[in-house]
Amino acid sequence: MEESKKKQRIGVYICHCGGNISDHVDVKGLRDVMAGEENVIISKNVMFACADSNQKEMIRDIQDNHLDGIVVASCSPKLHLHTFRGVAERAGLNPYNYVQVNVREQCSWAHSDHPDEASLKAAGLIKAGIRRVASSEALYNIEIKAHRSVVILGAGVAGMRASIDLAKMGNQVILVEKEAVTGGNLSRKGALFPTGQKGTELVETLTRQVKNEPAITLFTNATIEKITGSIGNFQVEVAIHEKAGETLTFATGAILVTTGYEPYQPVEGELGYGKSTRVIPIDAFDQLLESKSGELQFEGKTVRRIAFVYCVGMRQTNGNNKYCSRTCCTAAIHSSLVVHEKFKGVKAFHLYRDIRTYGKNEVLYERSSKAGDIYLLYQEKEPPVIEPRGDQLLIRVKDQLTRKRELELETDLVVLVTGMVSRSDSTTVADRLKIPIGNDRFFNEIHPKLRPVETVINGIFLGGSCQGPKNITESVQSSLAAAAKINAIISKETLFLEPIVARIDPKACTWCGKCKEVCEYEAIFQVETNGKLVASVNEPVCKGCGICGPVCPYDAIDLAQFSNAEIEGMIDGFSDVVTLVQKTGTEEVTATKKTVKMMDFPSEWRSIMQSLQENPMTIPEIATSTGLEPALVTWHLMTMNKYFIVEPAGMDDSEEYYRYQLKIN
Amino acid sequence: MVTKESPRILVFSTEKISDPGIDQAGLRKIHYSPTVYVISVPCSSGIKPRWVLHALQSGFDGVFIAADGHECSYSPRCPELTNDIIAECQRLMKEKEINPKRIRMAAICSVCAEPFANHMNNFTKILTELA
Ligand SMILES: Cc1cc2nc3c(=O)[nH]c(=O)nc-3n(C[C@H](O)[C@H](O)[C@H](O)COP(=O)(O)OP(=O)(O)OC[C@H]3O[C@@H](n4cnc5c(N)ncnc54)[C@H](O)[C@@H]3O)c2cc1C
Ligand code: SF4
Ligand code: SF4
Ligand code: SF4
């Protein structure tokens, strides 16, 4: 990282944010101070920096004045970093020669109780931004070629379904299955909700499609041993266990994890399990139902009464499995219906904690109740006590709905409705892939709502129940969503990655290996330059964490955008003394308010105003009409209300939400 | 109470986790001393001791590290590595006869608005007493 030339033509934009900043911070005073800073060519105030009109003006300024760096002092970079990077780019300036300074969340709002000090702080923040941009380097996205292939881990319903689609979209698929057979949990299941189709049949159909698809290569009895590389170009080492010691390495553009779940295994003595062979988990019960016809027999005896005990191993207040498996209620009720359909005169009792037959499956619950099934509510802290009595089982349960009376039941079978737990090797898999895992040991996505199938590792995706309990529909939905995302990435020939990576100065490095040792991503390797062994960074693999920086005894490592010059420049900027003529901007805002033109508003305000043109609307209605998130609408409306742009107009007909109407036109 | 002489605090905060927490303090108008300045970095284990020293030798009274703790998405060893960095900072600070209490750390998560403000108020108090 050569010492880059300091920027000499810097533009500074200080935003009023319609008053959010200028009410508490002396933006005009700051503008004048910044105009006097070294290398600052332009220093301006703007009503809304993010407004289209201002973006256009910035582009003009950059081009007309040949600016080589810009600083925008406005809101948190979380909101508009990409907006202004885009402005820089459109103006022909490198997007990394722009610095965002947060004078709203971290200044005007945080210190609205001390406006004078807030103005002084803002001066320090902006001066730091100017020094940072002065030392900033132009950076270019890292270009890589993507392999059009995917490695999929786990040939359950989620993995097989995604394989088929990815193959049809023109990708090569390597499907790696740990077991000797495909299908995962469904290969052991009979009639499934909601259609009654058998698990074994579904698996057979999918397996046939997988085998008939020339672009899919299926390895059974195989696991992954090692993964290196990064999005577009991973190297995945697959161990083929049938041929001891054999491993194959595949170059692949993306990885999809569909390793599923394991059924919860009750412990000895839990709810009578192990004390009698007549206490069985639900999977075994479903297989029993499959194998019998005419009369339901178990161990040579006709079964007349069955008790299902719900939530086994799940929703533990004190254990690790705090979650609900969400499919087991429906599965148990569905099994009970299968019993009534296939065999006459069997009575079913359901010992439950809550019934979660959510969505369309609620009708199954109704059908079971109408078929005469009896539902008894127990509490976690007082679970049913189950003991063998002759060739039957005696169950004692406190029913919460009949004044907590203890009831005694005799049944021929107890079915433990066991939920899902993570795979016993999930920690090993997480370690190999370097993806995060929750306390429940299911894999974690980046964001449960907004990015539900991506992991923090670019190019590694999740599908199916390895993320947490899902039914088949949900498992397939997520794995197909991942398949579509993967295809969108690897079908492009070239990928561009963010250039925030570590750079090592070969002159200073002595190859001590310390940086390589701390890098979690194996991004650092040894090279020879000019006859000297030094460390070097594999840029596409580097995650830009900067962890290697502080461990280098020779300070040979800088992270792009976080170089010593940039950080220490900021610290100097904070400490640079300023004198501002102290005044708060309230009157100023009232003065400017009248002259505000529609074009000066942020684009979100304009679309909200547009939707209110005709009639007053509630927040959810505005959200639907503008496509903005309801939370954002709320936030913008509050500010618009403050500046007399909108006003509340009574409650809506349901008396649930306020309506808002335009106050100015 | 904030005075013109309030201690100056430099906060290193993590972009993805601590920064949103600090932003939220502002959004909710939970106030703390206006002599607190924040620099965001990707990971607290990437903070170089020379930056900390630079701050303490150029007018800052204290440095606060807002870390991700076990939530760090880069390295499971992050808490341990950040601790090493703080230990190294304190070693260097002793050499320069700077009180090692002038550096502090806490995990600040993306909703830690109040905890952040409390940490700032506390640290302000500690630094005022040191002065
Ligand atoms: C009691 C019960 C009843 C249910 N009944 C129904 C129902 O009636 N209807 C319904 O819609 N849903 C039902 N479900 C849910 C259903 O079982 C799941 O939605 C479905 O099986 C999830 O499929 P999957 O592919 O995600 O996982 P899995 O079926 O678990 O498949 C994962 C595959 O990955 C393989 N694998 C694991 N680890 C590795 C590794 N490290 N390397 C390579 N391969 C690996 C496994 O061997 C397996 O083949 C029920 C669940 C339970 C607990
Ligand atoms: S789905 Fe029903 S049985 Fe399964 S854990 Fe949730 S509440 Fe318990
Ligand atoms: S820690 Fe520094 S000196 Fe050691 S190998 Fe890495 S870059 Fe080179
Ligand atoms: S910045 Fe992080 S990922 Fe990149 S080389 Fe350094 S330690 Fe490895």
Side-chain angles (χ1 to χ4, degrees), chain A residues 76 78 102 105-106 109-113 121 517 520-521 546 550 555 557-558 562 564 568 572 574-575 635, chain B residues 8 15 19 23 26-27 29 31-34 36 38 40 42 45-48 50-51 54 58 74-75 77:
Chain A
S76 165
K78 309 281 163 314
N102 183 347
E105 281 81 350
Q106 295 187 4
W109 281 347
H111 312 303
S112 54
D113 57 336
K121 171 170 173 177
E517 196 260 317
E520 286 289 326
Y521 304 95
D555 200 7
I557 311 177
D558 255 349
F562 299 89
N564 292 332
E568 289 169 2
D572 294 341
F574 292 151
S575 308
W635 187 86
Chain B
R8 294 168 63 79
E15 284 174 332
D19 242 27
D23 278 357
L27 187 67
K29 307 258 161 82
H31 302 302
Y32 50 90
S33 162
V36 170
V38 178
S40 336
S45 297
I47 299 167
K48 291 188 185 173
R50 65 173 270 182
W51 303 342
H54 185 83
S58 60
Y74 291 113
S75 171
R77 286 158 67 197

Side-chain angles (χ1 to χ4, degrees), chain A residues 79-259:
Chain A
L79 292 167
H80 282 305
L81 181 78
H82 294 284
T83 311
F84 297 117
R85 272 196 189 155
V87 170
E89 211 157 17
R90 292 202 296 282
L93 181 68
N94 187 284
Y96 296 92
N97 290 139
Y98 134 75
V99 166
Q100 175 81 23
V101 177
N102 183 347
V103 290
R104 194 178 72 179
E105 281 81 350
Q106 295 187 4
C107 191
S108 70
W109 281 347
H111 312 303
S112 54
D113 57 336
H114 286 90
D116 293 352
E117 285 80 359
S119 297
L120 284 175
K121 171 170 173 177
L125 296 175
I126 301 170
K127 286 190 170 206
I130 294 171
R131 282 177 170 68
R132 184 178 203 179
V133 89
S135 308
S136 70
E137 257 178 87
L139 299 173
Y140 300 91
N141 286 335
I142 299 163
E143 232 183 278
I144 51 164
K145 297 262 165 280
H147 288 283
R148 263 209 101 163
S149 64
V150 191
V151 167
I152 300 184
L153 241 60
V157 63
M160 287 201 283
R161 197 58 198 81
S163 301
I164 296 162
D165 270 26
L166 278 163
K168 289 208 189 308
M169 291 186 250
N171 305 293
Q172 290 294 318
V173 178
I174 313 289
L175 181 54
V176 181
E177 169 56 52
K178 185 169 72 170
E179 303 288 330
V181 291
T182 54
N185 280 288
L186 295 191
S187 61
R188 291 177 288 275
K189 288 196 199 300
L192 299 164
F193 72 77
T195 56
Q197 188 186 19
K198 289 191 178 117
T200 43
E201 284 171 11
L202 188 62
V203 169
E204 220 174 278
T205 315
L206 284 173
T207 308
R208 202 176 328 113
Q209 287 179 27
V210 162
K211 290 192 171 153
N212 287 342
E213 185 56 70
I216 304 177
T217 316
L218 169 68
F219 294 100
T220 49
N221 280 318
T223 49
I224 53 147
E225 291 303 296
K226 199 175 167 205
I227 291 179
T228 50
S230 62
I231 187 167
N233 187 18
F234 289 105
Q235 275 73 45
V236 183
E237 212 177 288
V238 178
I240 316 287
H241 297 299
E242 267 158 2
K243 304 179 190 151
E246 187 182 336
T247 58
L248 297 171
T249 303
F250 298 96
T252 182
I255 297 169
L256 173 59
V257 185
T258 51
T259 50

Side-chain angles (χ1 to χ4, degrees), chain A residues 502 519 521 523-524 537 542-548 559:
Chain A
C519 177
Y521 304 95
I524 296 178
V537 175
C542 173
K543 295 281 170 294
C545 60
I547 291 179
C548 51
L559 184 66

